[in-house]
Amino acid sequence: MPHKTKNAEYPDEPSLLRAMVCNEDAALKILYSRNYDSVSNYIIQNHGTISQAKDIYQDAFVVVWRNIQSGRFHPKGEKSIDGYLVRIAKNKWIDYLRSPQFKQTSPLLEKQELEAEISDPDDQEEIKKIVTAFVGLQEKCRHLLSMYYYDKTPVNKIAAKFGWTVPTTRNNKYRCLQKLRMIIKNKK
Amino acid sequence: MNYDIHIPEEELELIDQYLDNNLNAQELTALRDRAAEPEWAEKIAYIRLLRTGIGEAALRQKMEAFHAGMKKGTVRKMSSLRWKWMAAAGVVLILGTLWLKNIFGNKDRQLFDSYFIPDSGLVVSMGNSNNTGRYIFNRGMVEYKSEDYDKALEYWNGLTGNAMSDTLSYFIASALLANGQYSEALPYFEKVIHQSESIFLKDARWYAGLIHLRKGEKTKAKKLIRKSGNENKKEILQKIKE
């Protein structure tokens, strides 16, 4: 099980990618921070606002994260992950500008060639429902599920943190997941 | 997705171990055999999707923290004693450089502070208006003139479903600038500068020039200030040269 490294240095792209697979905060934060300005300026220069820039950027960041987690992102040279993130964000913005919601065509903005977002649209809809339902869970369940599924913390460490036994921790994880499923089902 | 699919606790545990690559060879083979059955394939796919959704929800919370930290400007901590010593060894050099930069940087900022006066805004009437966009813009302008720039931005940021007018861009920029959000203001002023017919063109150049000056980018600052219509432009250009 991977261990979190605080203030880790990532001298090259492979080390950054490895850290991102393990959801290391420092690595995610580096990628997030160093590309935001570029995307934000692009969107603001092209009919957008700061809040739209933030939303689009975060959506693009999630896509990149998802594709890294699933092993579908294959780096092609130095800083390719940065380019990938920026391209996804720009393409998302161009899609928005061309949408009926915005009702404007932007001939000057050409969508860049991109190895797509590589996600089943049905899955994306389902994931959206899960993300929304997750917010409705109690704090303890959110914490427990995040520790296990996002932070990838081993069950024995979660047990120690909450003062539970390992079987109780597994059972609580199961119960929390069931609650999440119930919220999704009821919102269907 | 079949939300009614029954997954007992022990099956969830097994699938989690499988998706975490924690099964031994024997367990893996057994699970793969089971996964050939449609019901099991569906269970695995469902748990995989739930895990992705939970991960995404957690990531979105993290991103909010990254974003907030980015605005404040985080200071990276040294991770080891060695790094601390290396940092200490560089302190004299850094301080010297900062001291020199401060002398010039402070001068630029002082000039900015001396010449920056927020735009006074537009005269608005809050009477009945059939135009919702115009009404919201005017509400924002009232807040702007009361120097509640955050509130003004709340109104104006809601007006962006359509192509943004130069007036809206200019006043969003002005509110951001008056709020001390210099970097955020600049792209909005640049949008106005790209619209050669805008009545705010010269003022946008003036304020964009001041922002560049504050950032120490004198060449860009001078170019923009020179093209602005501000009555103080000759005076400030002279002071930038000194």
Side-chain angles (χ1 to χ4, degrees):
Chain A
M1 195 60 63
H3 294 281
K4 296 236 162 188
T5 313
K6 285 182 180 171
N7 298 315
E9 296 292 330
Y10 310 102
D12 51 25
E13 182 144 315
S15 61
L16 182 71
L17 271 174
R18 280 194 298 275
M20 287 187 69
V21 170
C22 301
N23 287 332
E24 283 184 17
D25 268 6
L28 292 162
K29 192 174 176 179
I30 284 173
L31 185 70
Y32 186 96
S33 308
R34 75 183 180 197
N35 294 294
Y36 176 74
D37 282 350
S38 156
V39 170
S40 160
N41 286 341
Y42 175 83
I43 291 175
I44 290 170
Q45 293 282 353
N46 290 289
H47 317 293
T49 65
I50 291 174
S51 58
Q52 286 173 320
K54 183 184 164 197
D55 290 346
I56 289 282
Y57 185 67
Q58 293 197 342
D59 285 347
F61 196 86
V62 166
V63 171
V64 171
W65 171 82
R66 215 185 280 159
N67 288 341
I68 288 172
Q69 292 290 318
S70 62
R72 285 182 290 202
F73 169 72
H74 304 289
K76 292 169 187 166
E78 267 301 294
K79 293 246 174 182
S80 62
I81 189 168
D82 297 77
Y84 184 58
L85 171 59
V86 171
R87 287 198 304 279
I88 288 182
K90 286 182 177 177
N91 283 349
K92 275 186 174 292
W93 183 242
I94 292 165
D95 283 344
Y96 172 75
L97 291 182
R98 289 173 178 170
S99 67
Q101 197 184 350
F102 188 78
K103 288 181 183 165
Q104 176 168 322
T105 53
S106 300
L108 295 176
L109 300 177
E110 287 302 324
K111 202 166 173 178
Q112 299 176 38
E113 285 300 314
L114 188 66
E115 50 276 41
E117 289 184 17
I118 337 173
S119 268
D120 183 338
D122 290 342
D123 280 358
Q124 287 197 30
E125 272 310 301
E126 296 298 334
I127 289 169
K128 221 180 253 182
K129 286 179 197 164
I130 298 165
V131 171
T132 309
F134 187 80
V135 179
L137 276 177
Q138 286 182 337
E139 167 62 25
K140 207 165 206 173
C141 273
R142 286 205 307 268
H143 195 182
L144 171 58
L145 294 178
S146 295
M147 280 182 85
Y148 185 79
Y149 290 114
Y150 177 83
D151 295 323
K152 303 179 198 293
T153 308
V155 173
N156 59 346
K157 288 193 176 170
I158 299 176
K161 181 171 172 57
F162 284 99
W164 298 329
T165 62
V166 168
T168 303
T169 307
R170 289 206 173 105
N171 183 251
N172 286 344
K173 172 166 74 84
Y174 179 71
R175 284 166 186 270
C176 287
L177 207 65
Q178 290 295 92
K179 282 181 190 165
L180 180 67
R181 292 181 65 190
M182 193 58 70
I183 295 174
I184 300 166
K185 190 180 166 185
N186 290 341
K187 283 191 176 172
K188 206 169 55 160
Chain B
M1 186 57 64
N2 178 6
Y3 293 98
D4 294 320
I5 189 169
H6 177 61
I7 306 174
E9 185 181 342
E10 58 274 19
E11 287 185 4
L12 168 70
E13 209 47 49
L14 184 63
I15 294 170
D16 272 341
Q17 294 300 315
Y18 166 65
L19 295 173
D20 287 333
N21 293 321
N22 282 341
L23 294 182
N24 62 36
Q26 197 179 352
E27 290 167 332
L28 194 60
T29 309
L31 187 85
R32 281 184 178 153
D33 287 345
R34 288 172 106 176
E37 300 164 24
E39 191 193 351
W40 265 87
E42 191 180 17
K43 285 177 182 177
I44 293 171
Y46 183 39
I47 297 298
R48 196 194 298 273
L49 204 60
L50 281 172
R51 289 164 58 107
T52 305
I54 292 166
E56 186 175 316
L59 177 67
R60 285 189 178 275
Q61 282 184 342
K62 296 272 180 190
M63 285 194 298
E64 289 304 320
F66 299 159
H67 208 87
M70 212 169 60
K71 275 184 188 165
K72 286 173 195 157
T74 50
V75 179
R76 196 167 49 171
K77 291 175 190 165
M78 292 296 166
S79 58
S80 70
L81 193 61
R82 189 163 64 97
W83 277 104
K84 281 180 186 166
W85 278 111
M86 283 174 71
V91 158
V92 175
L93 181 65
I94 291 165
L95 284 179
T97 311
L98 284 176
W99 180 71
L100 283 171
K101 273 192 168 181
N102 265 336
I103 290 177
F104 295 107
N106 279 342
K107 191 193 153 200
D108 295 338
R109 286 184 183 200
Q110 279 165 8
L111 269 181
F112 173 90
D113 290 339
S114 307
Y115 285 93
F116 172 62
I117 299 167
D119 190 293
S120 56
L122 300 176
V123 177
V124 292
S125 148
M126 291 307 296
N128 291 336
S129 171
N130 294 328
N131 184 330
T132 313
R134 168 63 59 189
Y135 177 77
I136 293 170
F137 179 81
N138 287 349
R139 287 293 305 268
M141 186 54 73
V142 170
E143 302 297 344
Y144 177 89
K145 289 165 86 75
S146 311
E147 299 184 13
D148 191 342
Y149 302 116
D150 285 327
K151 203 77 179 279
L153 286 166
E154 271 178 38
Y155 281 112
W156 292 338
N157 280 331
L159 283 178
T160 50
N162 299 306
M164 205 184 294
S165 74
D166 58 330
T167 307
L168 184 56
S169 296
Y170 177 78
F171 282 106
I172 287 177
S174 298
L176 288 166
L177 180 57
N179 229 4
Q181 295 169 261
Y182 310 106
S183 298
E184 286 94 339
L186 194 54
Y188 285 100
F189 281 128
E190 283 169 352
K191 282 177 76 163
V192 180
I193 291 167
H194 288 140
Q195 297 182 49
S196 55
E197 302 295 314
S198 172
I199 57 164
F200 298 103
L201 176 65
K202 289 189 172 179
D203 288 331
R205 283 176 178 156
W206 168 252
Y207 287 119
L210 286 183
I211 293 171
H212 282 297
L213 176 64
R214 198 180 183 283
K215 290 167 82 178
E217 297 163 350
K218 288 186 186 173
T219 309
K220 285 182 184 171
K222 284 191 282 188
K223 194 175 164 189
L224 284 159
I225 290 171
R226 199 172 288 126
K227 287 183 178 177
S228 79
N230 193 282
E231 57 186 13
N232 293 319
K233 71 176 183 180
K234 278 187 184 165
E235 195 177 291
I236 195 170
L237 285 169
Q238 183 58 38
K239 287 185 181 172
I240 294 171
K241 273 186 196 169
E242 288 166 4

